[in-house]
Amino acid sequence: MVTSIPISLYIHIPWCLKKCGYCDFYSYVSKTTIPEKKYIDNLLKDFEQDLSLVGNREINTIFIGGGTPSLLKNESIEYLLNSIKKRSIVSNVAEITIEANPKILEYQKFVNYKKCGINRFSIGIQTFNSNLLKKIERTYDFLEAIYSIQESKKNNCNLNLDLMYGLPDQLLENAILDLQYAIKYHPAHISWYQLTIEPNTPFYAKNIKLPDENMIFQMFSEGDQLLRKSGYNKYEISSYSKLNYQCQHNLNYWNFGDYIGIGCGAHGKITQDNGQIIRTVKNKNIHDFLNGHYLNKMHVVSKKDKIFEYFMNVLRLYKPVFKKHFRETTNINEIYIEKKIQIAVQEGFLIDTTDYWDTTKKGKFFLNSLLEIFLK
């Protein structure tokens, strides 16, 4: 049943104070006043068009990302969320997250976020080291990062901190110190991921050098141990949480759930009653979007791509993959992939039982190699 597949809503706010050299997300540095009212009105029209693909399914999580959503006025965020709730069914216990930049956070913002129903804050710290912050072209310093955490903790216990390791000129002690600072403030969730330089970014063009593989592995190994010893459970490749504080929105992605994506460059995945999965990609040109041109591409996912996308998501999680779940979310019987599973088992990547598949330690370490089996 399609209604048994959870559905989320992602809202993209594309503006930033500054475009970081490593960022490959759709974002714009606003040189004039942000057209908040016009953008939100178009977001809502974009949302209304997607609702025709969703029916009356209940939205379980909302994630306001970017860009830097906290650049918007508090009343704009409140209006946006109230308008979403008027147009759709949003769960009374929905997890609602907003991403924020330490540079523009103060106590009153968090108070207002909480009043309009936001119950999870995600702050993009990346590193506490002021020198490294300059190297990766962030707009704040150590003190501003600490201040943003302190202010958020006054209002909400469900706080995520984004941290990166493997930064240019970062030493092992720098990476561990970042985690120690974060742990000191007891956030409910820490996203700790390796910096990778993507094509079509300024850092890629400049050929920015990162620490070597041995150093990066050492950062990961020691940092992983520290997080686990400090009471954080690793439930996904780069996600650690305290008990009952996993990010429900991201879990829905990784469990191959459905999601509506609205705003410039947003992606969506919506399962239809006939078992087909529709992918949507929204227009990333802000001028076109503000003129009512929302949809860039929409296509039905092929059987082959559906299998690959399923495993690309679920194998990120540190838990077994149940065959019943595979059948229900892909509308494909596991017999169809039996040969691929056998290859993965022979390679030592997977364990195959009657009810589920589980990734071995080798499979987690060579996840890309495991995924290639499902791609072929």
Side-chain angles (χ1 to χ4, degrees), residues 182-346:
I183 291 165
K184 176 183 175 182
Y185 290 96
H186 306 288
H189 191 284
I190 295 176
S191 299
W192 189 56
Y193 51 95
Q194 179 187 340
L195 172 63
T196 55
I197 307 298
E198 301 293 341
N200 303 316
T201 61
F203 276 18
Y204 186 86
K206 293 176 185 175
N207 196 26
I208 296 291
K209 298 298 181 187
L210 303 180
D212 64 39
E213 289 184 0
N214 290 333
M215 174 59 72
I216 287 175
F217 182 74
Q218 201 171 353
M219 289 176 182
F220 163 75
S221 297
E222 294 195 20
D224 182 72
Q225 289 178 29
L226 174 60
L227 284 162
R228 291 173 187 267
K229 286 178 182 178
S230 303
Y232 289 89
N233 175 55
K234 184 173 188 177
Y235 68 98
E236 186 267 342
I237 287 174
S238 57
S239 301
Y240 298 77
S241 76
K242 292 188 174 179
L243 186 64
N244 298 325
Y245 281 101
Q246 297 95 333
C247 177
Q248 297 305 309
H249 186 86
N250 286 344
L251 272 176
N252 188 41
Y253 289 155
W254 299 322
N255 278 308
F256 210 52
D258 285 347
Y259 50 94
I260 305 165
I262 61 173
C264 285
H267 290 239
K269 168 191 172 283
I270 305 170
T271 306
Q272 301 299 287
D273 289 334
N274 60 7
Q276 287 185 335
I277 292 176
I278 293 176
R279 289 269 184 199
T280 61
V281 182
K282 300 303 170 61
N283 197 326
K284 66 179 180 180
N285 184 295
I286 186 66
H287 303 293
D288 289 345
F289 191 88
L290 291 174
N291 284 308
H293 305 295
Y294 311 131
L295 186 65
N296 179 33
K297 288 186 291 187
M298 182 168 71
H299 72 276
V300 175
V301 181
S302 68
K303 196 171 186 179
K304 174 187 172 185
D305 288 345
K306 199 187 291 189
I307 292 167
F308 175 72
E309 289 178 12
Y310 176 85
F311 284 104
M312 183 176 66
N313 282 281
V314 298
L315 292 180
R316 292 178 64 97
L317 294 169
Y318 280 68
K319 67 171 190 177
V321 179
F322 285 91
K323 296 177 181 180
K324 181 182 178 184
H325 181 264
F326 173 77
R327 292 193 297 270
E328 289 176 345
T329 54
T330 64
N331 201 33
I332 299 171
N333 191 289
E334 65 269 23
I335 295 173
Y336 186 79
I337 58 168
E338 190 173 355
K339 289 184 179 179
K340 295 180 186 294
I341 295 296
Q342 287 175 357
I343 293 170
V345 170
Q346 290 167 5

Side-chain angles (χ1 to χ4, degrees), residues 1 29 57:
M1 293 286 291
V29 177
R57 293 166 65 186

Side-chain angles (χ1 to χ4, degrees), residues 359-375:
T359 317
T360 63
K361 188 174 181 180
K362 180 182 178 183
K364 283 293 182 208
F365 194 76
F366 295 103
L367 185 56
N368 286 341
S369 299
L370 169 54
L371 289 173
E372 283 176 8
I373 295 172
F374 295 103
L375 187 60

Side-chain angles (χ1 to χ4, degrees), residues 88-150:
S88 60
I89 305 169
V90 177
S91 169
N92 292 329
V93 292
E95 174 194 85
I96 305 178
T97 303
I98 189 167
E99 287 186 329
N101 183 310
K103 186 73 176 179
I104 48 179
L105 287 177
E106 70 285 330
Y107 176 73
Q108 196 56 43
K109 266 197 180 291
F110 289 114
V111 172
N112 290 324
Y113 288 158
K114 194 170 182 180
K115 280 182 181 177
C116 67
I118 294 172
N119 49 32
R120 185 174 183 272
F121 304 148
S122 181
I123 305 179
I125 300 293
Q126 315 313 352
T127 176
F128 290 96
N129 187 301
S130 293
N131 290 328
L132 291 177
L133 284 168
K134 288 179 182 177
K135 285 183 182 294
I136 61 172
E137 301 179 357
R138 300 296 279 182
T139 57
Y140 49 88
D141 59 21
F142 168 79
L143 291 176
E144 289 170 312
I146 294 295
Y147 176 75
S148 68
I149 296 171
Q150 291 171 335

